[in-house]
Amino acid sequence: MSRKIRVAVTGAGGEARWYMEAYKTCPDSELVLVQDIDPAKAREQGERLNVNWTTTFEDLLGPDIDLVDVSTPNHLHAQQTIAAHEAGKHVICQKPMAPTIRECDEMIAAAQRNNRKLGLYMSSLGAPLFHEIKEMIRQGFFGIISSVSSRGAHRGGYEAKDNTAWRGSAEKTGGGVFIQLAVHSINLFQWLLDDDIVQVAALSTNRLCKHSIGGDDLTHAVAEFRGGVYGSFEAGYAAEGGLFALYGTKGSLVMTAGQTFLWSELPWDGDIIKYTPRGGKEMTVLDPADYGPRQARFAGKYDQHAAFVRAILEDAPVPVPGEIGRRDVAIVKAVYRSAEERRHVLIEEMG
């Protein structure tokens, strides 16, 4: 019988519920322990998944654990990751990697010092649709990409009663809405374009959520990629509505309000997207009810947790290494510096 990676998860609330199920269904892993400081949450998930549970983080550092999944608030990532590495564990950490660049560096150093793997879980990379879009870009379906745009937003800050939750602390999150939401699109677009952001300019404020958010509740940044593409990144805590868009010389793609709009001079017959040019410049509305089921067939193929487990077993590179997580935090911090100092900031300035 082949060896299975034994997994422990710290942080039993929120999205971590689905991550635990991923380890339960992965043939190469075994979920053995769930931990949360809230005994009700730990017990609920332990009993639901039929695994042991605890309220003590140190229980995850025993010899029967190979991989620790850090799904706790941002300010706990560094100390828990470093402790796990020092105990000989591999670590996959939720985004953002940490509130500060310094903590990211300490996490990377601990992984290297103990010859353990360190990676980030970025949920967008698990979506088969984005893998097909990356291939469309690579094959020139959109021509030369000129610009990209994203908006991540909800009214969580506006509707919150006070700032007692950890997300209300600028120190614990590392900022506010931008580090919490925009880090997804910052990571995604660099991966899609296979290119790095080299400088940013930004405006940032807290106008509508001072009662609940210590950092920013609205930030808008423009970015320049090394290859010349311009990007627009917005994050907000006081209004609904998301956006993902890319524009090229031969085509464009916009996803917003649950709809996908596509135009190109070229046809595409992929596993998920089917497109025939209609002539003219009018965009075609792609029905998620049509391509959604096709995407669902490939969902497990790109599961980030399973990929991290395989990387351990095969001693291969992890999907999103710590160095990429550190890069994304540096970009976020450059955005905040730009807004504070009212100037363009080069990412290399961040060290």
Side-chain angles (χ1 to χ4, degrees), residues 23-334:
Y23 294 121
K24 289 284 287 186
T25 58
C26 174
D28 297 316
S29 67
E30 178 185 6
L31 181 65
V32 297
L33 186 61
V34 173
Q35 182 266 330
D36 197 286
I37 59 172
D38 183 337
K41 290 181 180 178
R43 178 193 294 273
E44 177 187 3
Q45 297 307 316
E47 292 180 350
R48 181 176 73 89
L49 296 166
N50 194 29
V51 298
N52 291 331
W53 62 272
T54 179
T55 59
T56 305
F57 174 77
E58 286 70 24
D59 291 343
L60 279 62
L61 307 180
D64 58 336
I65 302 296
D66 303 305
L67 165 62
V68 174
D69 184 314
V70 175
S71 294
T72 51
N74 302 1
H75 64 290
L76 299 176
H77 289 184
Q79 66 185 68
Q80 292 179 333
T81 294
I82 293 168
H85 282 322
E86 297 295 354
K89 317 304 176 189
H90 303 283
V91 177
I92 184 170
C93 187
Q94 302 306 314
K95 65 80 192 171
M97 187 169 172
T100 67
I101 299 172
R102 175 186 57 79
E103 288 173 296
C104 293
D105 288 336
E106 292 171 351
M107 294 162 73
I108 292 169
Q112 294 173 343
R113 184 167 61 249
N114 293 282
N115 193 27
R116 299 291 88 181
K117 295 189 183 298
L118 169 63
L120 274 290
Y121 171 69
M122 301 303 298
S123 58
S124 297
L125 302 188
L129 179 61
F130 287 128
H131 286 263
E132 183 150 313
I133 291 171
K134 183 178 177 72
E135 183 62 17
M136 295 165 81
I137 294 171
R138 190 190 71 80
Q139 292 193 27
F141 177 79
F142 300 104
I144 301 170
I145 303 298
S146 61
S147 65
V148 297
S149 185
S150 75
R151 183 175 191 272
H154 56 71
R155 293 189 299 169
Y158 186 69
E159 295 176 344
K161 293 182 174 59
D162 54 45
N163 65 356
T164 55
W166 67 269
R167 288 181 179 85
S169 167
E171 181 179 3
K172 290 180 178 179
T173 61
V177 68
F178 199 80
I179 195 170
Q180 286 292 94
L181 300 187
V183 73
H184 283 291
S185 52
I186 284 172
N187 177 274
L188 177 61
F189 274 118
Q190 290 179 106
W191 174 78
L192 285 171
L193 298 175
D194 194 21
D195 200 3
D196 292 328
I197 292 171
V198 294
Q199 70 169 323
V200 296
L203 292 173
S204 184
T205 187
N206 187 336
R207 186 167 68 90
L208 300 170
C209 302
K210 289 184 174 66
H211 65 285
S212 62
I213 301 298
D216 54 309
D217 74 349
L218 178 65
T219 294
H220 195 115
V222 292
E224 181 184 12
F225 289 77
R226 193 178 308 279
V229 174
Y230 282 3
S232 171
F233 300 90
E234 181 180 343
Y237 267 156
E240 299 292 331
L243 173 70
F244 168 96
L246 58 87
Y247 304 93
T249 56
K250 292 184 178 180
S252 55
L253 174 73
V254 177
M255 293 192 292
T256 185
Q259 291 185 302
T260 300
F261 302 88
L262 176 65
W263 171 81
S264 178
E265 297 176 355
L266 305 173
W268 183 263
D269 184 17
D271 291 326
I272 299 169
I273 294 177
K274 313 290 183 181
Y275 176 79
T276 302
R278 301 191 303 178
K281 304 294 174 61
E282 182 181 351
M283 299 190 81
T284 296
V285 179
L286 302 182
D287 185 356
D290 181 31
Y291 71 76
R294 289 198 293 269
Q295 180 175 215
R297 294 204 307 269
F298 297 93
K301 181 177 180 180
Y302 302 109
D303 182 272
Q304 298 295 289
H305 297 97
F308 192 90
V309 167
R310 288 194 300 271
I312 295 173
L313 289 171
E314 299 168 6
D315 194 21
V318 301
V320 185
E323 290 75 10
I324 293 296
R326 192 253 191 216
R327 177 205 67 183
D328 294 345
V329 170
I331 293 169
V332 169
K333 294 300 182 178

